Amino acid sequence: MSAIDFYFEYGSTYTYLTVARIRALANLQGVKIAWKPFLLMPLLAEQGMIQGPFLPYPRKIDYMWRDLARRAAEHGIPYSKPSLYPPKETLTCARLGVLGAREGWCEQFTENVFALHWTENRIIGTDDNLYAALESIGQVPANAIERARSPENKEALKSQTEEARRLGLFGSPSFVAAGELFWGDDRLEQALAWAKLN
């Protein structure tokens, strides 16, 4: 079966569009997705983008919001601009994602975390957001968060971020298909096609 490594950061705006679409598209194409949360900000900081790719540029932020709304409408994805950008804390979210990938619930957790943020303004990374997402997939929030904060799991997130660095990632969402890197939600279909052909 064809496969793609899907690298993503929970604080990324355009990643919502991918998270909302990737399951159905991958199933349609018969491509397996490996969900790989990582921390993007350390990689951006190394490239001189201390505040990320949008914050220093008001016009770029304005464009981003309009573009997100357009693309969400184009794909039929529910969308409501959240009240906070960027989210204040996504570290616990990323640790939970890594734990979920190991235990088999990362996909559902990630879909729910993003949906709560982008449709109900339940800000990603907050207790309200995380607890609701975890409970919706049958996880006991306190227990899952405790496991996510274990030294072993913290190290797993660090290793996955280092793997992203080695691969040359510089944004989210990113896809690695048959050794080829694709960046951006607008490259999802291309990455899936590449995985099928190679």
Side-chain angles (χ1 to χ4, degrees):
M1 184 182 223
S2 303
I4 283 180
D5 289 337
F6 170 33
Y7 288 86
F8 61 96
E9 156 69 55
Y10 285 95
S12 163
T13 54
Y14 283 94
T15 297
Y16 167 58
L17 302 176
T18 295
V19 167
R21 300 187 316 123
I22 194 169
R23 183 204 293 253
L25 289 175
N27 288 343
L28 189 65
Q29 295 289 330
V31 176
K32 183 178 179 181
I33 304 297
W35 293 63
K36 293 181 172 282
F38 75 107
L39 299 177
L40 177 59
M41 286 308 295
L43 276 59
L44 293 183
E46 292 171 2
Q47 300 169 59
M49 289 186 278
I50 305 299
Q51 298 182 65
F54 292 106
L55 276 183
Y57 313 106
R59 290 181 183 175
K60 192 174 182 182
I61 288 181
D62 289 344
Y63 175 83
M64 175 192 73
W65 293 125
R66 184 66 195 117
D67 191 44
L68 284 166
R70 281 197 310 259
R71 288 183 60 77
E74 175 187 351
H75 294 297
I77 298 170
Y79 170 86
S80 179
K81 180 182 173 184
S83 60
L84 181 66
Y85 173 77
K88 289 183 179 178
E89 197 274 308
T90 58
L91 178 58
T92 299
C93 209
R95 288 172 176 167
L96 283 164
V98 168
L99 177 70
R102 192 164 66 247
E103 296 184 354
W105 45 266
C106 177
E107 181 178 20
Q108 289 178 299
F109 167 73
T110 302
E111 288 173 347
N112 292 347
V113 159
F114 273 97
L116 289 166
H117 180 80
W118 288 97
T119 66
E120 299 183 24
N121 197 35
R122 298 169 74 173
I123 301 301
I124 207 163
T126 61
D127 286 348
D128 175 48
N129 175 282
L130 295 179
Y131 276 56
L134 288 165
E135 288 171 349
S136 72
I137 59 170
Q139 291 292 320
V140 178
N143 291 347
I145 290 170
E146 183 179 358
R147 297 198 310 279
R149 289 175 175 162
S150 71
E152 176 189 12
N153 197 67
K154 288 179 179 179
E155 189 57 39
L157 176 58
K158 289 179 183 177
S159 295
Q160 200 140 276
T161 300
E162 180 56 35
E163 181 183 13
R165 178 184 285 109
R166 287 196 304 270
L167 290 167
L169 269 63
F170 53 85
S172 172
S174 289
F175 318 97
V176 178
E180 195 80 13
L181 174 63
F182 298 85
W183 168 59
D185 174 68
D186 58 350
R187 292 295 180 265
L188 173 56
E189 287 85 352
Q190 187 179 10
L192 290 167
W194 187 269
K196 288 283 289 184
L197 289 172
N198 297 278

